[in-house]
Amino acid sequence: MELDSLSSLEKREILFTDIKNAIEVNWVNHSKLPNNDAIIRSVLNLSDIDSAEARLRRFAPLIKMLFPETVDAKGIIESPLVEVPELRKALNREKIGANLAGKLYMKMDSQLPVGGSVKARGGIYEVLKYTETLAVENGVLESYEDDYCKLASPAAKAFFGTKRLHVGSTGNLGLSVGLVGNALGYEVIVHMSCDAAEWKKEMLRSRGVIVKVYDGDYSEAITKARAESAVDDNAHFVDDEDSKEMFLGYAVAGKRLKKQLRQQGITVDNEHPLFVYIPCGVGGAPGGITFGLRQFLGDNVHCFFVEPTQAPCMLLGMVTGLYNNITVQDVGLSGKTHADGLAVGRPSAVIGDFIKPFLSGIITIKDKRLFEYLRLLWESEKIFIEPSSCAAIHGTVCWSHSREMEDYLEDNNLNRYLENATHIIWATGGGLVPEDIRQELLVKKV
Ligand SMILES: *Cc1c(COP(=O)(O)O)cnc(C)c1O
């Protein structure tokens, strides 16, 4: 049967069946709105991102002092945007057949200082925000204009030493929260799912972080973390499933990327579209980044999330309209994936509904491809990123074989401008993967 003759209800039915059967899908979001319309019903806006960015600037002198790797960037935790022409060539070869016009870049959050992943945006921002509030309320800082380096004094550290940070993590969030929390003097307790990579647990413990591992998946680890934190008066819970602060920390990326694009002479306008592909777990990181990009670059940026076929929690929540009231296990999927950072069965409680008017679509990827892309990137560019990040590479490939995606180009009047397009693969992590694990991953087949 021709797809054209199918009603939207029938198409939805086919999509739902494919998702349940762990078949790769390309879902275009027909609820996307022009930014000016979307922002009207939004509880956050551009000025919230500006104030988050200002907070990060207030903390920059302290970050520079605590983390010497940020000295060159004056205490601003940011990553480079690099062109990857050899990867583009490799993806366009017949074997993969991406057929990509325009230019291909990578946003190297895998190289972000203090954790080596995108979590250094949201996780660290939340800890800093909490720290600032505590410090001002308790006289550790006199005001928001005070010298934030005071927060590294022995007296301040002793004060923060009476406080605990709890966080649920598949690994990377624990690393960023653990590193910054420890540096400030907090006791940090990371609650992890059984899927978390062994080396991440070891690295955390070696840095003095308390690690608790549960038999269940990520959703269970977060539930345990939330419960433990709730009965502790001196604890703060970094809630990956429901945090406005983390979201804003991620959204700052939009403002910073706009500046980087300008510096590199990359135009984004009606005739120069920008396509961005971001791996999605609970949705906080890709949601925040998408929101930030839409606020600072408007309607000419097209953001797609990428999820594993066995853990497409955000996609499932969106197409059913049930958001965090449905899990991938509810439809018979395992939630298990080698993309450990994306091994999430239930999406965030707040992101799905919020981000829907800003998002272009969600695509899914089979685990097998993660390792093909991992090798391809290494062979073509000598860049290593972790399997979860490799999901984003699939965004470049989905255009060549999908009716849905062809329709997206048509509906958004983009076909004429594809030669002028810029594509960005958001490399969300991998900077801290130990050498022996890298070698294992580079030869891994599933
Ligand atoms: C956490 C993570 C993501 C996804 O972020 P969410 O906020 O969980 O959606 C993607 N890639 C890597 C490497 C991560 O660690």
Side-chain angles (χ1 to χ4, degrees):
M1 194 172 10
E2 259 297 298
L3 270 178
D4 276 342
S5 61
L6 292 177
S7 72
S8 64
L9 202 68
E10 285 167 317
K11 280 188 194 165
R12 246 181 65 126
E13 199 60 33
I14 292 172
L15 173 71
F16 190 62
T17 309
D18 283 352
I19 295 171
K20 279 201 295 195
N21 291 327
I23 291 168
E24 287 178 343
V25 298
N26 304 286
W27 174 69
V28 166
N29 173 24
H30 293 287
S31 306
K32 181 172 82 104
L33 293 172
N35 198 54
N36 285 341
D37 298 333
I39 203 69
I40 291 170
R41 51 161 252 183
S42 164
V43 291
L44 298 171
N45 58 39
L46 192 137
S47 67
D48 296 305
I49 306 176
D50 278 335
S51 64
E53 196 239 3
R55 176 164 293 111
L56 291 171
R57 271 189 274 123
R58 289 200 288 281
F59 271 97
L62 175 72
I63 295 292
K64 190 171 116 182
M65 196 168 129
L66 296 176
F67 301 102
E69 66 268 38
T70 66
V71 167
D72 287 347
K74 302 189 173 69
I76 295 294
I77 297 173
E78 197 39 74
S79 75
L81 174 70
V82 300
E83 191 172 3
V84 284
E86 296 307 317
L87 176 67
R88 178 180 175 278
K89 272 186 219 157
L91 289 167
N92 277 351
R93 275 189 208 112
E94 204 173 331
K95 186 162 172 272
I96 307 227
N99 237 337
L100 206 65
K103 291 196 164 187
L104 184 60
Y105 285 76
M106 233 177 198
K107 179 62 178 158
M108 303 304 298
D109 277 6
S110 50
Q111 294 175 15
L112 278 177
V114 198
S117 87
V118 69
K119 303 300 193 301
R121 298 184 184 279
I124 290 176
Y125 176 75
E126 166 141 359
V127 173
L128 297 182
K129 165 92 201 256
Y130 172 66
T131 300
E132 186 180 61
T133 307
L134 266 186
V136 171
E137 276 174 5
N138 292 278
V140 181
L141 288 178
E142 269 161 39
S143 73
Y144 297 107
E145 280 84 48
D146 205 349
D147 173 10
Y148 279 40
C149 290
K150 280 187 188 169
L151 295 171
S153 70
K157 274 189 108 166
F159 170 71
F160 294 120
T162 63
K163 309 283 176 189
R164 272 173 293 283
L165 298 174
H166 285 270
V167 61
S169 173
T170 58
N172 288 335
L173 182 58
L175 278 170
S176 281
V177 169
L179 289 172
V180 76
N182 260 9
L184 289 164
Y186 292 101
E187 181 173 65
V188 185
I189 301 115
V190 178
H191 303 257
M192 294 183 113
S193 54
C194 58
D195 312 301
E198 211 50 50
W199 68 264
K200 289 182 184 172
K201 296 176 201 161
E202 279 166 28
M203 191 175 286
L204 278 167
R205 290 192 173 115
S206 77
R207 313 227 171 163
V209 172
I210 299 167
V211 179
K212 297 193 174 187
V213 183
Y214 303 98
D215 290 338
D217 74 350
Y218 185 48
S219 314
E220 188 186 320
I222 294 195
T223 306
K224 292 270 170 56
R226 188 180 291 121
E228 200 168 306
S229 182
V231 295
D232 181 349
D233 286 342
N234 283 312
H236 175 72
F237 178 47
V238 178
D239 192 345
D240 197 15
E241 285 184 326
D242 186 5
S243 167
K244 185 183 112 188
E245 304 311 338
M246 285 184 70
F247 186 83
L248 287 172
Y250 289 125
V252 169
K255 184 167 186 170
R256 304 244 187 96
L257 186 75
K258 180 178 180 172
K259 191 170 156 203
Q260 275 182 326
L261 289 165
R262 194 171 345 106
Q263 283 167 344
Q264 299 194 26
I266 302 166
T267 308
V268 180
D269 62 19
N270 276 332
E271 296 174 7
H272 299 81
L274 174 66
F275 297 93
V276 183
Y277 314 104
I278 321 167
C280 177
V282 290
I289 292 168
T290 294
F291 179 65
L293 288 171
R294 288 294 307 273
Q295 296 325 301
F296 287 95
L297 292 161
D299 295 336
N300 298 305
V301 53
H302 306 268
C303 298
F304 291 86
F305 294 177
V306 190
E307 298 191 281
T309 49
Q310 284 293 347
C313 61
M314 184 59 69
L315 175 62
L316 193 62
M318 282 203 186
V319 300
T320 58
L322 291 171
Y323 301 108
N324 64 321
N325 292 311
I326 189 167
T327 69
V328 302
Q329 288 82 6
D330 290 339
V331 300
L333 294 169
S334 71
K336 297 228 173 291
T337 165
H338 288 90
D340 54 349
L342 316 180
V344 179
R346 186 190 298 281
S348 154
V350 285
I351 305 295
D353 188 37
F354 180 83
I355 206 65
K356 212 166 177 187
F358 300 99
L359 179 67
S360 292
I362 303 181
I363 67 169
T364 59
I365 175 176
K366 280 192 185 298
D367 272 24
K368 176 169 154 306
R369 290 191 204 261
L370 296 172
F371 296 99
E372 289 168 10
Y373 293 147
L374 192 129
R375 276 187 285 279
L376 201 69
L377 178 62
W378 177 250
E379 282 156 15
S380 59
E381 300 279 354
K382 289 287 172 282
I383 292 175
F384 179 90
I385 59 178
E386 64 183 277
S388 299
S389 322
C390 291
I393 299 176
H394 197 48
T396 61
V397 177
C398 65
W399 300 102
S400 61
H401 59 260
S402 159
R403 181 59 179 273
E404 277 270 310
M405 300 300 271
E406 277 171 26
D407 288 349
Y408 182 87
L409 294 178
E410 182 112 4
D411 294 346
N412 288 276
N413 211 0
L414 291 165
N415 277 313
R416 285 195 282 165
Y417 305 120
L418 291 181
E419 292 290 334
N420 304 340
T422 302
H423 298 261
I424 297 180
I425 293 165
W426 212 283
T428 43
L432 291 185
V433 180
E435 187 54 36
D436 55 330
I437 309 284
R438 287 184 187 216
Q439 294 312 322
E440 274 173 37
L441 291 170
L442 279 166
V443 296
K444 195 170 177 98
K445 292 210 165 66
V446 297

